[in-house]
Amino acid sequence: MKAVVKFARGPGHVALREVDEPRPGPGQAKVQVEAAGVCGSDLHIYHDEIKINIVPPVVMGHEFSGVIVEVGPGLRGYQPGDRVTCETTAESCGTCLQCRTGHYNMCATRKVVGYAVDGCFARYCVVNERQLHRLPDEVDLVSGALTEPLACCVHAVLDLTRISAGDMVAITGPGPIGLLCLQLVKAAGACAVICGTPQDAERLALARQWGADATLDVPAQDVIEWLNAHTGGLGADVWLECSGAPAAARLGLMATRRRGQYTQVGLFSGPFELDFSLVAYKELQVTGGLGQRWPAWERSLALMRQGRVDTKRLASHTLPLTEWREAFRMVEQKQGLKIMLQPVD
Ligand SMILES: [Zn+2]
Ligand SMILES: [Zn+2]
């Protein structure tokens, strides 16, 4: 089968290759990939600039849905024909503090799909039973393929942050992750203001269509002034930083109210200067999320099934797998919103 393979460490070293079809071992399922999303982190793998273990040669891709076509010995909960999506933690040690307390996304030796274990940029992918989540009937395959980025947001925004109805929540970065966070903030009954740069004009227009209470164009509009005017001078109750831009983090620490919450959802490209004393002066509660755990996956599927979150409308373009290079270019240049790859036979 054709697969997009990271075949060596270092920048680049990615190619469309002919690889053997995988076979399900004990407790595993072979999934026919029906839809796959290209993630910003796939670009980080391409450029080899992410602090998550990459073990080449590896088939890339970790956001997908599909149909089970074969099950290995001992797999009982699923059968061929089942529509599924799959968790990105393929293996974790099971014995460390993080694993034993259920935080397997934080296991130091975990192996991630598309990084250290073959992923979904291919016709077939083999996964362990504990990675599988069944798609509800109401969730189509394209929506289901985007459960993974939604689960990242659910983990960071609903599991690690407390958002209450009536909160003023500021979101920086109107990319796919920011727009999913927006939908979660609205589902939680809070007020959402989403901030972007002039480059984000189209994405900010989508944010307004999708329920943002306000969108702010930075630096033309003064975010702190706007927040003060709409909160009686308090500032944001919650700040969700989804852009990975140092300026957005600096602004977040300044514009979040005393005893407010700041959550880092995006990743920065490297270290930068920040006035971290503000965390003490204002007693800010600062946290960040990476990946997801089982509850975030199930909650994501429930939110889609209930129609409270729509992931499908993020899928702006679909390209055949053979055009992966163009898809990666579009993600790099922020064209469209979510670029989907369609496996080819
Ligand atoms: Zn992703
Ligand atoms: Zn562990």
Side-chain angles (χ1 to χ4, degrees):
M1 61 176 186
K2 289 188 174 64
V4 176
V5 179
K6 172 88 179 174
F7 58 84
R9 290 300 302 262
H13 303 310
V14 175
L16 188 74
R17 285 193 167 176
E18 198 66 41
V19 301
D20 290 338
E21 265 184 40
R23 290 215 186 124
Q28 291 186 319
K30 178 178 176 180
V31 178
Q32 176 166 326
V33 179
E34 295 295 343
V38 182
C39 180
S41 67
D42 291 319
L43 270 298
H44 295 310
I45 296 174
Y46 180 89
H47 295 298
D48 210 326
E49 57 181 20
I50 194 162
K51 293 191 183 82
I52 294 175
N53 198 23
I54 304 170
V55 186
V58 65
V59 178
M60 292 177 64
H62 61 268
E63 302 178 356
F64 71 109
S65 67
V67 178
I68 293 179
V69 289
E70 192 184 342
V71 295
L75 188 143
R76 287 190 195 88
Y78 293 85
Q79 51 198 9
D82 286 351
R83 298 158 69 250
V84 295
T85 183
C86 304
E87 291 198 29
T88 48
T89 302
E91 290 172 37
S92 54
C93 77
T95 57
C96 73
L97 170 69
Q98 309 305 338
C99 283
R100 286 184 193 272
T101 52
H103 299 274
Y104 55 85
N105 62 315
M106 286 286 110
C107 175
T109 58
R110 86 173 171 137
K111 290 187 175 161
V112 183
V113 173
Y115 291 73
V117 170
D118 284 341
C120 63
F121 290 164
R123 174 48 87 190
Y124 300 103
C125 180
V126 154
V127 299
N128 300 312
E129 182 169 15
R130 58 149 299 283
Q131 290 170 262
L132 289 166
H133 290 263
R134 209 180 296 280
L135 294 183
D137 291 342
E138 298 88 342
V139 178
D140 64 88
L141 288 159
V142 172
S143 301
L146 298 177
T147 311
E148 195 272 342
L150 177 59
C152 276
C153 298
V154 167
H155 177 68
V157 174
L158 299 183
D159 292 348
L160 299 175
T161 314
R162 285 182 319 281
I163 294 183
S164 305
D167 277 348
M168 173 62 77
V169 182
I171 301 167
T172 37
I177 292 293
L179 291 170
L180 288 172
C181 288
L182 163 68
Q183 296 188 51
L184 294 176
V185 169
K186 294 311 295 177
C191 185
V193 53
I194 184 156
C195 311
T197 61
Q199 207 194 339
D200 297 319
E202 272 177 49
R203 291 172 168 196
L204 289 176
L206 283 177
R208 283 191 291 277
Q209 279 173 34
W210 297 354
D213 295 280
T215 57
L216 297 177
D217 179 0
V218 184
Q221 284 170 286
D222 188 325
V223 178
I224 293 178
E225 207 170 85
W226 190 95
L227 284 167
N228 284 339
H230 290 81
T231 58
L234 283 174
D237 295 296
V238 178
W239 193 276
L240 302 175
E241 206 304 282
C242 303
S243 72
R250 291 189 196 104
L251 182 61
L253 294 191
M254 286 193 292
T256 304
R257 70 164 166 85
R258 291 170 184 232
R259 308 213 73 248
Q261 302 173 73
Y262 173 104
T263 299
Q264 189 61 46
V265 188
L267 293 176
F268 303 96
S269 56
F272 60 92
E273 207 175 291
L274 184 72
D275 186 4
F276 211 63
S277 299
L278 286 168
V279 175
Y281 281 127
K282 296 166 76 172
E283 295 193 354
L284 297 176
Q285 296 171 62
V286 178
T287 189
L290 184 82
Q292 338 77 14
R293 304 191 299 140
W294 188 90
W297 283 81
E298 285 300 310
R299 188 176 295 279
S300 296
L301 290 166
L303 284 161
M304 287 193 273
R305 166 186 236 164
Q306 295 162 9
R308 289 176 205 277
V309 172
D310 180 354
T311 55
K312 194 177 192 171
R313 59 186 174 185
L314 291 176
S316 56
H317 298 77
T318 303
L319 273 61
L321 191 69
T322 44
E323 288 175 37
W324 68 273
R325 208 174 269 284
E326 170 67 2
F328 278 33
R329 187 195 64 75
M330 290 173 79
V331 173
E332 187 126 83
Q333 297 182 356
K334 295 187 179 179
Q335 284 178 20
L337 209 47
K338 196 74 186 171
I339 315 299
M340 308 298 293
L341 287 174
Q342 185 68 46
V344 291
D345 290 315

